[in-house]
Amino acid sequence: MRMKLFGLMAAMLLVAGCTENADNGDTTQGGGEVAPTPVADTPVALDPQEDLVVNVGDRIFFDFDKSNLRPDAIDQLNRQADWLKMNGGITVAIEGHCDERGTREYNLALGDRRASSASQYLRSMGVDGGRIETISYGKERPAVLGSNEEAWAQNRRAVMVVKSGSLS
Amino acid sequence: MNTDRMKTGFSTFASVRFVFVGALLLAASAMSARAELRIDITRGNIDPMPVAITDFYSGDTQTAAIGRELAEVIAADLERSGLFAPIDQRAFIQSNESLLVRPRFSDWRVINAQALVSGGVSYEQDGRLKFEFRLWDVFAETQMTGFAYRTPRNNWRRVAHIIADAIYKRITGEEGYFDSRLVYVAETGPHTMRVKRLAIMDQDGANHKYLTDGSALVLTPRFSPTRQEITYLSYFNDTPRVYLFDINTGRQEMLGAFKGMTFAPRFSPDGNSVIMSYARDGDSDIWIMDLRTRRARQVTNDPAIDTSPSFSPDGRQITFNSDRGGTQQLYVMDADGNNVRRISFGQGRYATPVWSPRGDLIAFTKFYGGRFFIGVMRPDGTGERLLTESFLDEAPTWSPNGRVLVFFRQTRTTSSGAGGVTRIYSVDLTGYNLRQVTTPTDASDPAWSPLNR
């Protein structure tokens, strides 16, 4: 909820910035009068995935060759669970990923385990399992390039991707 | 036997007919008098045998060009094996035409040739090409083997590989592997958005062809031992499942209707089933699907990851990869899933076990101390030997004769995306003769075909 409010406020601030600009009589944009942007009920039609990424966080991270949920991952999943409960029409896929320091087939299984860990936790927090699918990409889709520990740490992840539905 | 293989084989793949060239029996009796010209391929790092491979002679220039290329392909096959050292043709004294009558062995001894390959090529009435080939023991002055082949003109490269196999077999005592192909995954683009396509080529890189267009991510292709078919993993429709690919028709078919990801497929030795992993709720187990009934049965049932299954060549046992003991190790079990025992006990993680077609060894990937290795061990876990090492070596596949391994190697990537070069390599079972296999793009997940048929 807090995150959602923050998003709303950010959007309103943006809008406010625009109108203020127009009020100052800035005519450099040409086209003469700039109609004040109506601050309506839906300030910005935010894409659900964007909202998830910006206001909630779409990913959790894992230790090497592990699929258990770290404390930082649990915090993140709690926010995702709240967001999913708040936006009941949205279905998601959780993608499980691995770093490049493993064999392909084992990493497919490990990615599946990671996605499943996240999915099971969300269900335990009361999210309907029918809204969550899982898919493993093993080491096939690293988020970050580089053969170093920083890159590997960012690539050992489970990422929530919106499949259908819109924000409530 | 070799001749049987050729007879049965040629009917389906391409029509090549062969006949023995007469002198063979005579030669065999003459050779018993003296030590055989022979390479013991169980020893590592042997001195390659000097062999003179002459252009196959033809009276007309057009056919002579094929005779020249044929000799080049044979020489390249034998050279790549690391067991033979083809002699520079510029050193040859005797002409190819006079060779057809009989070798002047003193001319070949002078240039230190131990074996001599000679032959002729000509057009038959029906438009096919006829190749005659003879292998000579230069010091014993005897013919070791000889054949004649008839084939359509566009099939001459196969004849070259068949002749190279015949030479390899006659001199090493082991079946050859040159008349075979590789299927692999061709890779392009940055690693974060890698495009992967199935590709197939002869083992020497010729006749390269893409089988899929790259629109779906594809991984881990493996040849059927009995049909022109490949099993592999495809992410078609963002749904990772095991598929069959018919090489002749290009038809792709999802195997079964599993509710979760299926992956790590391999054929059984009789070609009638596919063994694979099936992942449900984070638990990967091993399943076998019968290709005739399309029924699947579960073989392992453990909360751990069970994957990368591979049958023994007699079909009675299965080796696989599991982390049921804490980290990835290699296991062997009976084909019904009973009698599971761990076989890898060295330091580090072990993965991708593949049973040799000879049955005597299991090849694997090992990860230890930040490095990856390709190695082999006996099916009881003894006799571990590491053959290669790098930042990332993975996924060995056996040559049809169980003497050579092909795998892929990936280099480090920088944070700007440079590096990350991924290529296929071959290495002899002895750990010598490491060579890159030429591919048009980056390449991974190689799988060797059985000998062509």
Side-chain angles (χ1 to χ4, degrees):
Chain A
M1 195 62 204
R2 205 174 64 232
M3 298 306 286
K4 171 91 175 184
L5 270 178
F6 175 77
L8 258 171
M9 284 162 64
M12 288 167 74
L13 274 173
L14 264 171
V15 171
C18 283
T19 33
E20 190 183 313
N21 214 9
D23 283 349
N24 285 350
D26 184 350
T27 52
T28 53
Q29 291 172 331
E33 208 153 307
V34 177
T37 313
V39 184
D41 303 341
T42 51
V44 183
L46 206 54
D47 173 71
Q49 184 70 37
E50 271 178 335
D51 185 51
L52 175 65
V53 171
V54 173
N55 297 325
V56 183
D58 66 338
R59 62 197 61 199
I60 60 173
F61 300 100
F62 296 87
D63 289 336
F64 174 71
D65 197 14
K66 292 281 190 286
S67 57
N68 57 306
L69 301 171
R70 305 191 315 214
D72 59 322
I74 287 176
D75 289 347
Q76 181 69 275
L77 287 170
N78 285 336
R79 287 194 292 275
Q80 290 182 350
D82 290 344
W83 184 81
L84 283 170
K85 282 185 260 181
M86 199 162 30
N87 298 286
I90 284 177
T91 66
V92 296
I94 297 176
E95 302 175 350
H97 297 271
C98 305
D99 66 28
E100 65 185 1
R101 304 311 281 158
T103 46
R104 193 177 318 287
E105 289 175 346
Y106 179 83
N107 276 5
L108 288 170
L110 181 60
D112 179 70
R113 232 187 214 171
R114 286 174 175 166
S116 181
S117 282
S119 167
Q120 278 166 18
Y121 184 82
L122 292 171
R123 276 182 281 162
S124 77
M125 296 306 288
V127 179
D128 175 11
R131 297 170 59 199
I132 311 170
E133 57 184 86
T134 59
I135 182 170
S136 172
Y137 284 97
K139 61 174 173 177
E140 305 309 313
R141 290 284 179 265
V144 177
L145 291 167
S147 297
N148 55 68
E149 188 46 56
E150 294 74 31
W152 296 331
Q154 291 181 72
N155 289 333
R156 295 188 295 259
R157 68 202 194 276
V159 180
M160 185 178 282
V161 178
V162 174
K163 299 299 282 186
S164 67
S166 51
L167 296 172
S168 301
Chain B
M1 306 291 288
N2 200 27
T3 51
D4 287 334
R5 175 176 73 73
M6 287 171 180
K7 265 187 214 154
T8 53
F10 289 73
S11 51
T12 53
F13 194 81
S15 67
V16 181
R17 290 253 242 34
F18 77 96
V19 290
F20 266 91
V21 177
L24 182 63
L25 285 175
L26 278 174
S29 58
M31 269 184 310
S32 55
R34 119 180 227 290
E36 276 231 285
L37 185 57
R38 193 171 182 83
I39 294 176
D40 178 3
I41 59 177
T42 58
R43 289 165 51 216
N45 202 22
I46 55 161
D47 287 334
M49 175 185 285
V51 52
I53 299 163
T54 62
D55 293 344
F56 280 43
Y57 178 78
S58 171
D60 79 88
T61 51
Q62 201 197 355
T63 322
I66 295 176
R68 264 197 307 281
E69 288 184 90
L70 191 88
E72 280 171 24
V73 172
I74 295 169
D77 278 352
L78 294 178
E79 195 277 331
R80 260 196 329 281
S81 76
L83 302 175
F84 299 87
I87 296 168
D88 189 336
Q89 289 196 347
R90 284 172 299 187
F92 294 177
I93 301 164
Q94 187 179 9
S95 76
N96 297 340
E97 189 172 9
S98 69
L99 252 178
L100 283 186
V101 183
R102 180 161 178 85
R104 284 195 307 272
F105 290 104
S106 58
D107 283 4
W108 299 100
R109 278 196 294 271
V110 161
I111 62 168
N112 290 321
Q114 292 188 36
L116 168 66
V117 176
S118 68
V121 51
S122 56
Y123 268 108
E124 296 280 270
Q125 295 282 31
D126 61 5
R128 291 189 302 168
L129 285 170
K130 179 187 174 189
F131 296 92
E132 286 182 60
F133 134 76
R134 292 167 198 263
L135 173 66
W136 305 90
D137 182 332
V138 171
F139 287 84
E141 303 198 353
T142 52
Q143 179 177 317
M144 297 182 76
T145 188
F147 291 97
Y149 304 92
R150 288 180 183 81
T151 186
R153 182 196 161 95
N154 62 6
N155 201 37
W156 66 264
R157 289 192 74 96
R158 274 206 71 205
V159 172
H161 296 311
I162 289 164
I163 290 172
D165 279 336
I167 296 166
Y168 183 99
K169 181 176 187 185
R170 188 65 186 81
I171 290 182
T172 68
E174 306 262 350
E175 291 291 339
Y177 56 88
F178 304 117
D179 183 25
S180 62
R181 289 169 294 165
L182 290 170
V183 62
Y184 73 96
V185 171
E187 303 192 6
T188 50
H191 283 276
T192 46
M193 298 180 294
R194 204 69 156 162
V195 173
K196 296 196 172 191
R197 310 167 67 179
L198 294 186
I200 191 169
M201 62 187 189
D202 296 349
Q203 58 70 35
D204 66 349
N207 294 316
H208 186 278
K209 199 173 123 187
Y210 293 107
L211 299 179
T212 62
D213 61 8
S215 56
L217 177 64
V218 289
L219 304 170
T220 64
R222 276 91 195 227
F223 265 101
S224 164
T226 52
R227 282 184 295 277
Q228 293 296 310
E229 257 177 7
I230 293 163
T231 184
Y232 64 106
L233 171 60
S234 172
Y235 276 74
F236 182 69
N237 279 342
D238 283 331
T239 310
R241 295 290 186 274
V242 168
Y243 280 72
L244 290 180
F245 189 101
D246 184 316
I247 298 172
N248 292 330
T249 64
R251 202 171 99 86
Q252 301 173 47
E253 177 198 356
M254 191 198 283
L255 203 49
F258 294 92
K259 289 202 170 68
M261 173 173 67
T262 49
F263 61 110
R266 271 183 206 280
F267 285 96
S268 60
D270 64 7
N272 288 332
S273 40
V274 168
I275 190 165
M276 61 183 126
S277 280
Y278 172 27
R280 289 170 300 171
D281 299 327
D283 177 21
S284 297
D285 285 312
I286 291 170
W287 289 63
I288 295 177
M289 171 165 278
D290 188 314
L291 294 176
R292 296 159 301 187
T293 63
R294 298 286 157 145
R295 286 222 182 89
R297 84 184 149 84
Q298 188 168 0
V299 186
T300 68
N301 188 358
D302 190 287
I305 289 173
D306 294 339
T307 191
S308 301
S310 167
F311 272 103
S312 62
D314 64 8
R316 290 183 183 167
Q317 295 181 89
I318 295 162
T319 181
F320 66 102
N321 191 200
S322 177
D323 69 346
R324 57 182 65 191
T327 61
Q328 282 172 275
Q329 299 294 338
L330 307 185
Y331 292 78
V332 169
M333 63 185 169
D334 297 345
D336 61 5
N338 291 323
N339 195 18
V340 180
R341 63 266 188 202
R342 176 173 162 183
I343 64 164
S344 63
F345 291 96
Q347 288 182 298
R349 292 171 161 80
Y350 291 78
T352 75
V354 196
W355 218 301
S356 158
R358 301 161 66 98
D360 56 345
L361 292 169
I362 289 170
F364 56 82
T365 306
K366 176 171 176 160
F367 180 40
Y368 175 62
R371 304 284 288 173
F372 280 79
F373 309 80
I374 301 297
V376 293
M377 65 174 65
R378 294 193 198 97
D380 66 1
T382 63
E384 174 176 335
R385 282 191 295 125
L386 299 180
L387 308 178
T388 74
E389 174 192 353
S390 87
F391 170 72
L392 176 58
D393 283 355
E394 182 177 339
T397 178
W398 291 95
S399 63
N401 70 351
R403 280 289 163 195
V404 181
L405 288 163
V406 162
F407 60 97
F408 77 88
R409 170 169 288 180
Q410 185 174 325
T411 64
R412 284 178 168 275
T413 310
T414 69
S415 47
S416 62
V421 177
T422 311
R423 291 286 170 166
I424 296 175
Y425 287 81
S426 69
V427 68
D428 196 86
L429 184 53
T430 58
Y432 291 96
N433 199 32
L434 177 72
R435 291 175 187 234
Q436 188 181 316
V437 177
T438 306
T439 48
T441 65
D442 272 9
S444 63
D445 292 3
W448 215 314
S449 78
L451 284 174
N452 288 329
R453 57 191 73 232

